[in-house]
Structure formats: structure tokens, C-alpha cells
Amino acid sequence: MADLLTDLQFNEFRNLIYKTSGITFSETNRSILDSRLKERLREKQITDVDQYYALITSNQDEFKNFLDSVTTNLTRFFRNQPHFDALINYVIPHVIENKKNSLDKKIHIWSAGCSTGEEPYTIAMLLKDKLPAPYSFDIVASDISLKSLMVGRQGFYPTSRVSGIPQNYLDRFFTKTSDGYQVKPEIRSTIRFDYHNLANDSGSKNLDIVFCRNVLIYFDEAAQKATIDRFWNAMAKHSYLFIGHSESLFGMDTKFKFLKTEWACLYEKEES
């Protein structure tokens, strides 16, 4: 099948995507952009690529739909279990220790690039189960995909999507329906799903824990560095950052300290 985009058009679209989101499209994944564009043109009943480019540069809603279509949303409950083991056995005890003399007994968490919500719901279930009184928590879950956020907000998952959840959590935190499982209100109420583009400042401050897993791989070095710096500025003086197991800050000029725990590797912000 012939390419939809000319070289000039491909450069225009990928430069726009990079400038607005930090996501990089190279020649090797050009076919993905091409196929996703074909889908958007069919849906909008537009045959001219340049006409569609004019549309997304003048219509913010369609531009968000376009970005949604070109991003990959692959996730599952309890994905990379060692991260969650480190969260419960190492990070939470240290965060509690840092807060013992503080009036703020709430742990503030950001799940950045949350996709359809499996990650923040996993965190919420674990903390509901393991977090001792008088501590509580809140989670902001953000993504660039509006469709994914809608799934997360609804909190409904077909049976095939809940296979990684321990049975006791499934029984406690979900309601079984005829065609799947619905997250119970006690868990949904702890999470605020919010549209956010990681190319921009989130406005968050004093976050204790940030999860941003398998997102940086879509950015080039400059966009990765800018994103990591924004995380640093949004995080509390003593806080923790989880990135994907195949991602690394090695070689990056960053203030985060590499932390190897018994369960998994992560990054620590330690600021006097």
C-alpha cells in the first residue's frame, strides 16, 4: 500500500507532534503515523492531507483527537510487579517517615501517562490495603489520550483485562457484572483523571511519588530531560520517581539519585 504522506507532509506532521507533545516519530515508525492518519481522515471524511493539517492546527479539539490516535496505550493491572513491591515495602515506609512530623498525613501521587487507568487503580488498591492509619492518599492520573481517560474514569474492565489482579482484591474492590468488572466507588474516589500533555507544566507541587512508566521511550533526549526536570520541580523535597524498567536516566544531567532496592530500581529526590 502506498504511503499517504509525502516526505514534506511527514516532516510537517512529525514536527507538529514533537513541538506540542515531545513524542518523536522517526522514519522507522513512519508507517504508524501514516496508518493512524488514514483512520482520522476516514472518520472526518477528508481526502486531502493538507486540509486535515489545517484543521488540526486551527481546531484544538480535533488536535487532541489526532494526538490520541497516534499514541500507543498498552497497559495492564500490576504491570511489572517488582515496582509495586518496592512501592509498598520501601517507598511508602520512607514517605511516612518523612511525614511523621508534618501535619500533612496525605500521600500525594501522580500517575503520568496513565493510559486506561490500570496503573493508578493498582496503586490505589495497594494503598487501601496496606497504608496504615492515620495516613491517606490521593492520586492524579493523567494522559494525552482522551479516549483512554474516559475508560479510566468509568472504571469498567472486561473480564479479559483483570487477569493480573489478585482474587482477594478483585472480590474486595470490584463489582462483578455480566460482562466484566466495575471498580467500586471507594477506589474510584481516590483518583482524579485529568488530561495533561507532558510537554507542559502540570502545576502540581509537593508530590510524594510519581509514576511515569514506558512514556519516556517515545521522547528524544531533549524532551526526556525537559520532562524529568518538570517532575523534579513538581515533587516534594523527599520523594520518589518510577520509570519503565527499560528506561533509564543514565547519562542525563539530572538531580535525581538512582536507587536500587531489594525489589526494583527507581529514582529518589533528596533535597535539604
Side-chain angles (χ1 to χ4, degrees):
M1 185 180 293
D3 288 342
L4 174 70
L5 298 169
T6 66
D7 289 345
L8 177 61
Q9 289 168 333
F10 172 61
N11 285 327
E12 284 181 335
F13 276 94
R14 73 171 176 179
N15 288 341
L16 177 64
I17 293 167
Y18 177 74
K19 184 174 69 174
T20 52
S21 71
I23 297 170
T24 302
F25 275 91
S26 63
E27 283 291 343
T28 55
N29 54 14
R30 176 173 176 163
S31 60
I32 297 174
L33 177 57
D34 203 83
S35 64
R36 304 289 168 80
L37 261 173
K38 285 176 181 173
E39 292 171 11
R40 289 308 303 157
L41 264 62
R42 274 198 302 270
E43 189 164 325
K44 299 300 292 185
Q45 297 184 324
I46 295 173
T47 57
D48 187 301
V49 171
D50 293 328
Q51 182 185 347
Y52 185 70
Y53 184 86
L55 175 63
I56 61 173
T57 52
S58 62
N59 184 310
Q60 191 63 29
D61 288 339
E62 180 54 30
F63 181 66
K64 286 182 179 180
N65 289 332
F66 168 64
L67 274 185
D68 191 336
S69 72
V70 300
T71 53
T72 302
N73 299 293
L74 176 65
T75 186
R76 64 179 184 273
F77 288 99
F78 290 88
R79 184 181 188 186
N80 194 3
Q81 179 67 45
H83 277 169
F84 299 111
D85 295 337
L87 172 70
I88 293 304
N89 295 304
Y90 185 93
V91 171
I92 293 300
H94 280 78
V95 170
I96 289 175
E97 177 65 22
N98 289 331
K99 285 180 176 285
K100 67 180 180 180
N101 297 321
S102 170
L103 294 176
D104 181 14
K105 300 302 182 186
K106 183 170 282 190
I107 297 173
H108 306 287
I109 302 165
W110 182 12
S111 171
C114 69
S115 188
T116 44
E118 285 89 338
E119 178 180 271
Y121 282 129
T122 298
I123 298 167
M125 287 187 286
L126 283 168
L127 295 190
K128 273 285 186 183
D129 187 34
K130 306 289 188 183
L131 193 63
Y135 295 92
S136 61
F137 67 95
D138 59 30
I139 302 172
V140 173
S142 71
D143 204 272
I144 203 171
S145 168
L146 291 168
K147 290 179 183 175
S148 295
L149 288 171
M150 290 301 292
V151 174
R153 283 178 186 146
Q154 185 180 9
F156 175 81
Y157 299 91
T159 304
S160 61
R161 296 277 292 276
V162 301
S163 58
I165 302 174
Q167 189 61 47
N168 61 319
Y169 280 13
L170 203 57
D171 295 341
R172 178 178 170 187
F173 298 123
F174 289 79
T175 300
K176 178 77 171 77
T177 70
S178 60
D179 53 352
Y181 289 82
Q182 175 67 54
V183 181
K184 289 183 177 179
E186 68 168 302
I187 294 296
R188 290 176 66 193
S189 64
T190 65
I191 303 171
R192 177 169 62 87
F193 286 93
D194 188 30
Y195 178 86
H196 178 66
N197 185 333
L198 287 173
N200 303 321
D201 182 16
S202 69
S204 299
K205 296 295 178 189
N206 296 315
L207 294 164
D208 298 299
I209 303 165
V210 172
F211 276 76
C212 184
R213 304 188 301 166
N214 308 303
V215 175
L216 296 177
I217 53 175
Y218 297 104
F219 298 168
D220 68 3
E221 289 183 18
Q224 288 177 357
K225 172 71 165 59
T227 301
I228 292 300
D229 287 347
R230 280 189 282 271
F231 286 151
W232 176 274
N233 293 332
M235 292 169 69
K237 288 185 177 181
H238 306 283
S239 49
Y240 298 88
L241 170 67
F242 289 86
I243 61 176
H245 72 277
S246 64
E247 299 169 322
S248 171
L249 304 187
F250 180 75
M252 187 182 296
D253 180 19
T254 173
K255 300 174 187 175
F256 282 104
K257 183 175 77 174
F258 178 75
L259 182 61
K260 186 174 183 179
T261 73
E262 179 182 338
W263 302 272
C265 297
L266 58 145
Y267 292 87
E268 180 179 17
K269 176 178 177 177
E270 192 70 36
E271 193 175 44
S272 59

